Amino acid sequence: MAERVEILLSEEEVNERIRRLGEQISEDYAGKKVHLVCILKGASFFMCELAKRITVPVSLDFMSVSSYGSDTRSSGVVKIGKDLDEPLTDRHVIVVEDIVDTGRTLSCLQEMLKNRGAADVKLCTLLDKPDRRVVDVKVDYTGFRIPDEFVVGYGLDYDQKYRNLPYIGVVKFD
Ligand code: 5GP
C-alpha cells in the first residue's frame, strides 16, 4: 500500500501561530521566568520554535513518558521514561506537548508535576483533537484545534517517520 502525506497546516501557518503563542506567553509571564518542560520526542520541534519566540527568561528541561500497559489509549497512568534533570520547586512551569488526544497524558502529567512543588503548572499544546477527549483537562495554550485524523510532522511521527516534516500532515494510504 502506497503511503503519502497530505498537508493540513503549512509551515508558514504553523510558524506564525507559534510566533503568536510566544507573544502571548511573554505577555502573560511578564516579570517572571518560565520553565518549559518538553515532552519527548514529539514536542521537541515545537518547543524549540516556541522558546525562540518568548522574550522573558526561559529555562528548559525534557521528559519522556509512555502509558502503562500495551493499550496506550485505555491506560490512564503514565510511566516516566526519562525524568527531568532539575527540580521544579517554585518554578513557573509550562508543559509543552505535541498533541492532546484523550487528554490522559497531560492530565496525569499535570498532577505529577504539581506535586513536585512548582509555583504553577500550565499546559501548552501545538495541536488539539477535542472530539477525542475523555479526560477533562484544561489546556492553557493551544496552537490549532484539528479534526480527528492521525497527523504527522513538526515532531509527530508515524512509526518513527515524518518527524522532520516542517508542516503538519495527514497520512493517507492509497
Ligand atoms: P492522550 O493521552 O491525549 O490520548 O495522548 C496524547 C499522545 O498520543 C500524544 O502525545 C501523541 O504521542 C499521541 N497521539 C495522539 N494523536 C496523535 C496523532 O494524530 N498523531 C501522532 N503522531 N501521535 C498522536
Side-chain angles (χ1 to χ4, degrees), residues 10-23:
S10 71
E11 181 173 5
E12 292 72 25
E13 281 176 281
V14 177
N15 288 342
E16 173 56 17
R17 182 71 190 112
I18 297 176
R19 189 186 64 73
R20 296 211 335 261
L21 281 176
E23 270 177 13

Side-chain angles (χ1 to χ4, degrees), residues 109-165:
L109 264 175
Q110 191 177 35
E111 275 317 298
M112 211 185 252
L113 298 183
K114 268 185 181 162
N115 290 333
R116 295 191 185 187
D120 43 71
V121 180
K122 301 228 167 152
L123 305 179
C124 176
T125 185
L126 178 59
L127 304 169
D128 184 5
K129 290 199 251 188
D131 297 346
R132 302 252 325 144
R133 196 71 87 260
V134 172
V135 178
D136 187 20
V137 57
K138 181 180 165 277
V139 181
D140 302 280
Y141 301 99
T142 300
F144 300 92
R145 289 189 177 81
I146 59 166
D148 180 14
E149 298 211 67
F150 191 82
V151 289
V152 295
Y154 227 95
L156 287 148
D157 76 309
Y158 169 62
D159 211 8
Q160 296 303 324
K161 285 183 294 186
Y162 305 126
R163 288 194 198 276
N164 59 320
L165 295 178

